[in-house]
Amino acid sequence: AQIIYQQQRYDAFNDSISSIEGYTASNVRIRTGVKIGQKDLLFKGSEFFTQLDVLQDNSSNDGLSISQETISAKVDNKPWSKVAIGAAYQIGLAQLKAQLAYEKSLSGNAKNGSSFNIAFNLKF
């Protein structure tokens, strides 16, 4: 289980056409899931895994004002599932990881799609 909090803050600014007021948005994401992995299956330092998650966002959306016009994006706080397979390889303090994932909204079509991620992590 994991709880992730994110906040974005933008300062106000003016240009020759309009003025944009400051804007702050926040999001709390709740993730529960399981990860099943097998270490050192092919060679030492390797890991292959399958992951299944259920995620839920709780976003705020107060809207953004541009020249006295407020614009608000539609916020979808419905849960969705994610299934992923991947592999990681660790050499000392460095890790290379690749993951292929598919996401499916549990109600509607708001968060349907797939992704492929490659990551390099260095611990120090």
Side-chain angles (χ1 to χ4, degrees):
Q2 187 178 37
I3 298 174
I4 304 161
Y5 176 76
Q6 178 183 15
Q7 184 180 60
Q8 298 173 338
R9 186 173 301 164
Y10 302 98
D11 293 333
F13 70 93
N14 297 315
D15 60 18
S16 61
I17 299 171
S18 61
S19 62
I20 300 176
E21 72 177 27
Y23 178 71
T24 301
S26 61
N27 183 52
V28 175
R29 176 171 289 175
I30 300 168
R31 180 180 75 86
T32 59
V34 296
K35 179 179 177 182
I36 301 170
Q38 176 69 46
K39 290 186 180 262
D40 301 330
L41 188 62
L42 293 178
F43 42 91
K44 189 171 175 73
S46 67
E47 177 189 12
F48 295 90
F49 61 88
T50 303
Q51 187 170 333
L52 175 62
D53 295 321
V54 176
L55 301 105
Q56 169 84 39
D57 278 341
N58 296 299
S59 301
S60 69
N61 184 15
D62 297 332
L64 172 65
S65 291
I66 302 173
S67 296
Q68 289 98 30
E69 183 73 30
T70 300
I71 299 170
S72 295
K74 180 182 174 189
V75 176
D76 180 12
N77 288 328
K78 296 178 182 168
W80 73 97
S81 62
K82 178 178 177 181
V83 176
I85 58 170
Y89 183 68
Q90 180 115 17
I91 303 173
L93 299 176
Q95 181 189 51
L96 183 62
K97 182 177 178 180
Q99 178 176 297
L100 177 63
Y102 176 73
E103 295 182 359
K104 174 82 173 124
S105 181
L106 297 178
S107 59
N109 294 319
K111 290 185 168 112
N112 294 344
S114 59
S115 64
F116 178 70
N117 296 307
I118 297 177
F120 175 76
N121 297 312
L122 182 61
K123 296 179 183 177
F124 55 92

